[in-house]
Amino acid sequence: MKRILFVFLDGIGLGPAGPDNPLSNDAGAAFRRLAGGAPWVRALPKRATSDHVVRPLDATLGMDGLPQSGTGQATLFTGVNCAERVGRHFGPYPHSATHDVLDHENLFHRVQGLPAVPDGGVAFANAFPPQFFEAPSRRWTVTTRCCAGAGVPLRDQEALRARRAVPADLTAEGWRDALQLDVSPRTPADTAQALFDTHRSHALTLFEFFHTDKVGHRRIDLAPGVLLERLNRFLGRLLDLLDPVQDTLVVTSDHGNLEDTRHTQHTRNPVPLLAYGWAAPHLADARTLADVTPGIVEAFRTGLDGR
């Protein structure tokens, strides 16, 4: 079965190279492997081959102001310009005007609806702690709302321990230190292996990494360089495991943030789109966040039918 692993990195844009952009230094070999040997900066060279696509995406969606997670992610995971639908950028949670499209037209729904995708063929790999499930009035993020609308189960602490789910921070430090939960420590490479093992059982697997945005906002005490080194080891292991004939790794973001350490706000910079594997050509013409979901759906529509 041909598969796509979608790694969503929250808050990473393509900013000018310089000392204020941690991505313009040598963030690591895996970043350069994904980008065809180049650093993730504004001058990122475009690339389009039979198994590798690199290009910038417009995250402003034709609206003034700073892009936000609520409308950016809703656009990314539905193919509908949700900032235009709302009339402005909105976040961090999904705006009520986007609930219907998130509930009924999201990426999970659209892939599950393809004849060649088996039941249970999509997965959201993030693990959620007990506190999330016990909350009496849970606030749905874009991704969890997509799961709820499409009937994709959210994975819990038991799934994390059994390596059927992965910690959002790559190391499970947050589970142990902040939440005081009995979870074994992980290395980023361990987490990549567990994610890839989950990916092998599904046509589409999504993993959301939001610590890039949190570090950009300085909401957690972690240096950008330390975070990027963890992410580099995680991405490097995924690339080592990937078979481009059967697997495609898709990496992108919803808006800029981490690439400009002079402030803690989002940016209007483009975001990177990197795809490596059989489905890459279906994303070669993507221009904005709204083009990612349609490209993935079309890849499955043609690739799983054998055409």
Side-chain angles (χ1 to χ4, degrees):
M1 179 176 67
K2 290 188 176 180
R3 304 168 293 249
I4 294 178
L5 176 56
F6 191 165
V7 173
F8 165 58
L9 305 178
D10 194 337
I12 283 192
L14 298 172
D20 298 311
N21 183 354
L23 290 156
S24 71
N25 303 318
D26 190 5
F31 285 90
R32 288 182 175 268
R33 285 171 67 187
L34 268 173
W40 292 19
V41 295
R42 181 73 61 80
L44 179 70
K46 294 180 182 178
R47 180 185 181 96
T49 70
S50 61
D51 64 2
H52 197 181
V53 163
V54 179
R55 60 182 308 105
L57 294 180
D58 174 27
T60 67
L61 301 171
M63 307 301 291
D64 294 333
L66 296 179
Q68 300 296 324
S69 295
T71 44
Q73 291 175 27
T75 301
L76 184 63
F77 294 119
T78 64
V80 175
N81 186 333
C82 288
E84 184 177 69
R85 175 173 286 218
V86 172
R88 61 189 172 97
H89 296 294
F90 180 88
Y93 294 96
H95 191 280
S96 58
T98 68
H99 288 179
D100 184 64
V101 69
L102 286 171
D103 292 344
H104 302 292
E105 299 179 44
N106 68 66
L107 175 61
F108 291 137
H109 259 303
R110 295 175 65 179
V111 171
Q112 284 180 144
L114 297 173
V117 175
D119 292 342
V122 301
F124 186 41
N126 290 61
F128 290 81
Q131 292 88 331
F132 177 85
F133 298 100
E134 294 163 1
S137 57
R138 187 184 305 152
R139 290 195 74 180
W140 297 104
T141 63
V142 168
T143 48
T144 55
R145 188 167 191 112
C146 287
C147 288
V152 177
L154 297 180
R155 299 174 182 231
D156 59 12
Q157 184 175 353
E158 180 181 349
L160 178 63
R161 286 174 172 160
R163 298 180 62 83
R164 298 191 311 273
V166 294
D169 64 359
L170 305 182
T171 62
E173 286 180 1
W175 287 69
R176 291 176 287 111
D177 299 340
L179 300 176
Q180 301 296 304
L181 294 171
D182 182 18
V183 174
S184 300
R186 311 289 171 89
T187 67
D190 289 337
T191 294
Q193 181 69 62
L195 176 60
F196 196 82
D197 290 344
T198 296
H199 152 76
R200 285 190 296 190
S201 301
H202 301 87
L204 171 69
T205 301
L206 172 66
F207 172 61
E208 177 179 13
F209 185 70
F210 48 78
H211 280 64
T212 35
D213 195 50
K214 285 185 175 291
V215 167
H217 287 305
R218 298 176 196 158
R219 290 176 182 155
I220 54 177
D221 186 18
L222 192 66
V226 173
L227 180 75
L228 291 175
E229 173 53 29
R230 292 179 182 178
L231 190 55
N232 176 65
R233 284 181 276 147
F234 168 78
L235 292 172
R237 181 59 179 154
L238 287 181
L239 287 169
D240 289 343
L241 293 166
L242 185 137
D243 173 6
V245 175
Q246 297 295 328
D247 306 307
T248 297
L249 175 62
V250 175
V251 179
T252 192
S253 188
D254 54 347
H255 54 71
N257 183 350
L258 186 65
E259 78 281 5
D260 192 342
T261 59
R262 294 173 300 174
H263 56 75
T264 61
Q265 297 177 316
H266 293 174
T267 74
R268 287 179 60 84
N269 289 325
V271 300
L273 172 64
L274 310 114
Y276 177 57
W278 66 271
H282 296 276
L283 293 164
D285 295 326
R287 297 291 184 271
T288 79
L289 300 181
D291 297 322
V292 175
T293 280
I296 290 174
V297 172
E298 183 58 25
F300 278 126
R301 192 188 313 279
T302 58
L304 294 188
D305 287 341
R307 295 196 298 271

